[in-house]
């Protein structure tokens, strides 16, 4: 679809651009057919997952076949009004959770080293 808008596919994409879009602030009663109609204008869609629990209502994941189609959709639908709600679109970052867990492990490691160092200092004072 990108070529239809007159853009070439040789442009360098930012590292955060992804085929998976996280869509927030959706109307709670939006159907999958309405989602396909809205997002399908920008390219072939592989999958749409609409949140159905209390915590995930009003959000969805839209997975495009092509990264350039996802970029077009994100640019054009950011702030788009759907039944009085303005859409918020983000590129889904798959490595975000792994960084978060690694940070916890790193904090534990540093804390353990700190304890070991303070324990060694106590032993030095005794001798």
């Amino acid at each position: 679809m990108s070529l239809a808008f007159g853009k070439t596919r040789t442009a360098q994409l930012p590292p955060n651009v992804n085929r998976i879009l996280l869509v927030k602030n959706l109307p709670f009663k939006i159907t999958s057919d309405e989602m396909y109609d809205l997002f399908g204008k920008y390219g072939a869609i592989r999958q749409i997952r609409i949140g159905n629990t209390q915590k995930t209502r009003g959000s969805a994941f839209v997975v495009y076949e092509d990264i350039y189609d996802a970029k077009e959709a994100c640019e054009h639908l950011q702030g788009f009004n759907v039944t009085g709600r303005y859409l918020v679109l983000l590129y889904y970052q798959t490595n975000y959770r792994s960084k978060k867990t690694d940070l916890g492990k790193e904090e534990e490691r540093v804390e353990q080293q700190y304890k070991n160092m303070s324990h060694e200092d106590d032993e030095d004072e005794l001798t």
Side-chain angles (χ1 to χ4, degrees):
M1 251 346 237
S2 301
L3 295 175
F5 290 105
K7 296 187 178 188
T8 63
R9 293 183 181 249
T10 58
Q12 184 73 22
L13 293 173
N16 66 332
V17 175
N18 195 323
R19 290 184 317 118
I20 305 170
L21 298 178
L22 172 59
V23 185
K24 296 182 176 182
N25 204 31
L26 284 166
F28 291 160
K29 297 193 182 227
I30 195 163
T31 65
S32 58
D33 289 338
E34 292 170 331
M35 291 286 290
Y36 275 100
D37 288 343
L38 182 62
F39 286 89
K41 295 175 185 176
Y42 300 98
I45 295 174
R46 178 174 288 188
Q47 183 181 43
I48 292 180
R49 302 288 302 248
I50 300 174
N52 56 6
T53 66
Q54 184 68 27
K55 191 174 181 179
T56 60
R57 284 176 46 188
S59 63
F61 289 102
V62 179
V63 183
Y64 279 92
E65 293 287 340
D66 185 46
I67 194 169
Y68 290 95
D69 296 338
K71 184 176 183 292
E72 286 292 324
C74 191
E75 289 174 355
H76 288 93
L77 294 176
Q78 184 69 262
F80 188 77
N81 188 336
V82 178
T83 63
R85 299 185 73 132
Y86 296 97
L87 298 183
V88 176
L89 279 79
L90 305 165
Y91 295 107
Y92 179 67
Q93 301 301 314
T94 55
N95 58 358
Y96 175 73
R97 289 181 186 230
S98 64
K99 285 183 183 176
K100 201 173 192 180
T101 57
D102 290 344
L103 180 62
K105 289 178 183 177
E106 184 65 19
E107 286 176 350
E108 289 175 13
R109 187 184 66 78
V110 168
E111 193 172 310
Q112 186 62 38
Q113 284 182 340
Y114 180 74
K115 286 179 184 177
N116 290 343
M117 288 176 60
S118 63
H119 183 68
E120 289 173 3
D121 289 342
D122 292 343
E123 288 177 358
D124 288 342
E125 289 176 9
L126 294 174
T127 58

